[in-house]
Amino acid sequence: MEKTSCLHFCFISCLVLFIIVGSWYRSSISSLPGYSLQTQKPIYHSAETPHHPLDPLTVKEINRVRTILSSYEPFSFTFPTIHTILLDEPDKVQVLKWRKGDPFPPRKAQVLALLNGQSHVLNVDLDSIRVTSHVINPRSGYPMLSMDDISAASKAPFSNAEFNKSIAARGVSSSELICLPPSAGWFGPNEEGKRVVKVLCFSNQGTPNFYMRPIQGLVMTVDLDTMEVLKFSDTGRDIPIPKSTDTDYRYTAQKKEPQMEPLNPISIEQPKGPSFRVEDGHIVKWANWVFHLKADHRAGLVISRVMVRDSENGELRDVMYKGFASEFFVPYMDLDESWYFKSYMDAGEFGLGMSALPLVPLNDCPRHSYYMDGIFATPDGNPFVQPNMICLFERYAGDISWRHSEGLLTDFQIREARPKVTLVARMAASVGNYDYIFDWEFQTDGLINVKVGLSGMLMVKGSPYHQAPNQDAMSGPLISENLIGVVHDHFVTFHLDMDIDGANNSFVNVNLVKERSLPGESPRKSYLKAKRKIAKTEKDAQIKLKLYDPSEFHMINPSKRSRLGNPTGYKIVPGGTAASLLDHSDPPQLRSAFTNSQIWVTPYNKSEQWAGGLLTYQSRGDDTLAVWSERDRSIENKDIVLWYTLGFHHIPCQEDFPVMPTVTSGFELKPVNFFESNPILRAAPAFEKDLPVCRPSASP
């Protein structure tokens, strides 16, 4: 029990530290050499009020929600465990009509709570001070895990006799154990009726990187409501715990110098300060862009009301109403008793926002960054601050916006080039062992580049092998002595409510088709022709990407034309990606059927935002994007939502040990006939006189 108390104290202490550290950053980071947060004023969240209908709930508003729920009759005897309290956004029509200075639409909150093993979905009107809607168990599944769930489940094994006997037999001291509760998934009716979690344990002896020291084969199924160990599995006593040698990834722990020439310090200098500004806490204005930015408990980062300025008349034009990461599916490829269930849905089960820790100045975000906090609710309904969760910064990496030179074939010399400077909104989530970096990058040519980076630690499996045997019998390659890096996937599904020059849009598949020339028509035998097909219903827009059947995918406004008669639009440009290869009847794939296609288009529906369903934990897949899309609703010239799934196959390698270099992929949202011509034609080049002169120190 002493061990249990110690774990609980450490866990709560860490939570308090994370909340405090953001404020510490702002107050003390300016003392670091060469660093300043001079452009950012202190934020006093307790006094904040909303300035825009999409602004997140404030500290005062979350407190008001708790007060309303405390006096709500169904909760009069027992207050429920709060899993999320988020803004119930106004109807889209209301938001689009609203202008600064107008009265606000009613401020409302959506609450996901748990009481007596049942899921409660409530809507609370903050103006009328009442609960306006209350539904119990609307679908299969439960709300995401709370911090109380995670804390209690991590302690449950230590009061179990079988567990204590097993770790003693392995020669492991309880003082060196860290136990974590990954989600259990769903694998049929036998697992229904109880909210359960799997608990795995690791040794932190000699290293903070306990993920590299798994207690292989030891797994417990724990009832989250009673904290009873329902099932105990112990199959790996003959597998040694991997050594801690070379697992510590901290800079201060490195004993050898890197075998490379040292890099001199590098930084972007902005003598006039950043070009962007943040108004009223959430409205970002930069170059020709304006958008609303906020933190979200589940999605992490939400971009809304995205508008770009017309390059001819200067008017702001709609591009996107709302964009965010809707779900993150991570299935592992191992059938072992202690591995088969590892098929996580990180947004719906853990929360990308809840997993976001403070960003590290100068390393996560460069100098002159602006930091934004998240305001969320604890399990008892009180507000807390997730500090420095999002950063905004301008990026210049020597890239070129456009260029052309003449002189080889003409009498006149032309050297024209423009530097590419972009604006980045960044958030990083640390979901257990993995770190996910989300970038929304805005370019002055109207392009939005969305990138996802993967870093952190592998989820590894203990092995008896020191050197690689016949790997066909293994679930992944050996990445270090006694460690297997299990093959796995990552799929991120984005909700992209595109509003190109207005809400009513159409989806167009522009297919490149090979045509053959007629006999004698040309020396060429074949050529490509673009053929356009407008999707009429949802099934027309369920797209599986194919390298040898290429298409462009356009979102257009059929009612808005360029001077040449082309419909204004944007296209989604996939980067490197991957598709799920699991059987559609496999339980993890049933729950994550939104990865069956890379592109979906659905009619706008305020209730259809989470690709894995509102209640994802232990869900059966009955409330997913794939289920909604099977209705085959009309989508031509309607208010529609584009969904895109970005995928990674990950076959681990030795270079991923002990911490992975970041791997990045993404997609672009690129204007197509949206502007009358190149929107940055008149952009100014850089001149020496405009830049500060930074001279290196004298050579030794």
Side-chain angles (χ1 to χ4, degrees), residues 138-157:
R139 294 282 191 278
S140 69
Y142 300 98
M144 69 176 68
L145 293 178
S146 71
M147 286 299 179
D148 283 358
D149 290 331
I150 294 170
S151 176
S154 67
K155 297 182 294 183

Side-chain angles (χ1 to χ4, degrees), residues 1-12 155 158:
M1 292 303 293
E2 290 180 1
K3 170 65 180 176
T4 297
S5 300
C6 180
L7 270 176
H8 182 67
F9 174 77
C10 292
F11 185 86
I12 297 301
K155 297 182 294 183
F158 295 94

Side-chain angles (χ1 to χ4, degrees), residues 84-99:
T84 58
I85 298 178
L86 295 174
L87 176 72
D88 180 13
E89 295 183 355
D91 291 339
K92 185 174 178 179
V93 173
Q94 292 178 297
V95 176
L96 293 175
K97 287 182 178 179
W98 183 85
R99 296 294 181 268

Side-chain angles (χ1 to χ4, degrees), residues 296-363:
D296 184 88
H297 183 109
R298 184 166 177 169
L301 180 156
V302 176
I303 305 276
S304 302
R305 295 295 285 125
V306 180
M307 294 176 283
V308 68
R309 205 168 292 283
D310 189 275
S311 57
E312 299 300 320
N313 58 31
E315 293 181 1
L316 284 172
R317 297 169 62 186
D318 291 327
V319 173
M320 183 171 68
Y321 181 73
K322 189 176 183 181
F324 59 92
S326 178
E327 193 50 82
F328 210 127
F329 174 45
V330 188
Y332 284 80
M333 308 303 163
D334 193 307
L335 303 181
D336 188 86
E337 175 69 19
S338 60
W339 276 83
Y340 76 91
F341 57 87
K342 295 181 180 180
S343 52
Y344 309 124
M345 296 171 74
D346 286 337
E349 293 178 337
F350 301 100
L352 298 176
M354 282 300 296
S355 305
L357 300 180
L359 294 163
V360 181
L362 298 182
N363 294 278

Side-chain angles (χ1 to χ4, degrees), residues 37-177:
L37 277 174
Q38 59 194 10
T39 58
Q40 187 160 355
K41 297 178 181 178
I43 299 172
Y44 303 101
H45 293 296
S46 60
E48 275 189 309
T49 57
H51 298 277
H52 188 281
L54 296 178
D55 281 358
L57 295 176
T58 64
V59 166
K60 289 180 179 178
E61 289 176 321
I62 293 175
N63 279 326
R64 192 181 307 165
V65 172
R66 191 186 192 287
T67 300
I68 294 169
L69 293 179
S70 298
S71 60
Y72 182 49
E73 186 175 351
F75 301 152
S76 57
F77 293 104
T78 306
F79 192 78
T81 300
I82 301 299
H83 289 255
T84 58
I85 298 178
L86 295 174
L87 176 72
D88 180 13
E89 295 183 355
D91 291 339
K92 185 174 178 179
V93 173
Q94 292 178 297
V95 176
L96 293 175
K97 287 182 178 179
W98 183 85
R99 296 294 181 268
K100 188 172 182 177
D102 291 350
F104 269 27
R107 294 283 285 178
K108 300 178 182 178
Q110 183 188 68
V111 181
L112 300 186
L114 203 73
L115 182 63
N116 299 325
Q118 293 186 311
S119 301
H120 294 252
V121 181
L122 303 100
N123 292 88
V124 179
D125 190 313
L126 296 174
D127 294 337
S128 63
I129 316 178
R130 63 190 182 93
V131 174
T132 57
S133 173
H134 183 184
V135 181
I136 301 175
N137 298 331
R139 294 282 191 278
S140 69
Y142 300 98
M144 69 176 68
L145 293 178
S146 71
M147 286 299 179
D148 283 358
D149 290 331
I150 294 170
S151 176
S154 67
K155 297 182 294 183
F158 295 94
S159 59
N160 181 270
E162 286 183 289
F163 172 80
N164 289 313
K165 182 179 178 180
S166 175
I167 61 171
R170 292 170 185 256
V172 180
S173 169
S174 62
S175 63
E176 69 183 66
L177 283 180

Side-chain angles (χ1 to χ4, degrees), residues 507-521:
F507 178 76
V508 184
N509 185 337
V510 185
N511 189 217
L512 284 172
V513 179
K514 181 170 70 174
E515 301 277 353
R516 297 190 180 277
S517 59
L518 298 173
E521 182 182 10

Side-chain angles (χ1 to χ4, degrees), residues 120 431 529 585:
H120 294 252
V431 188
K529 192 168 185 177
S585 60

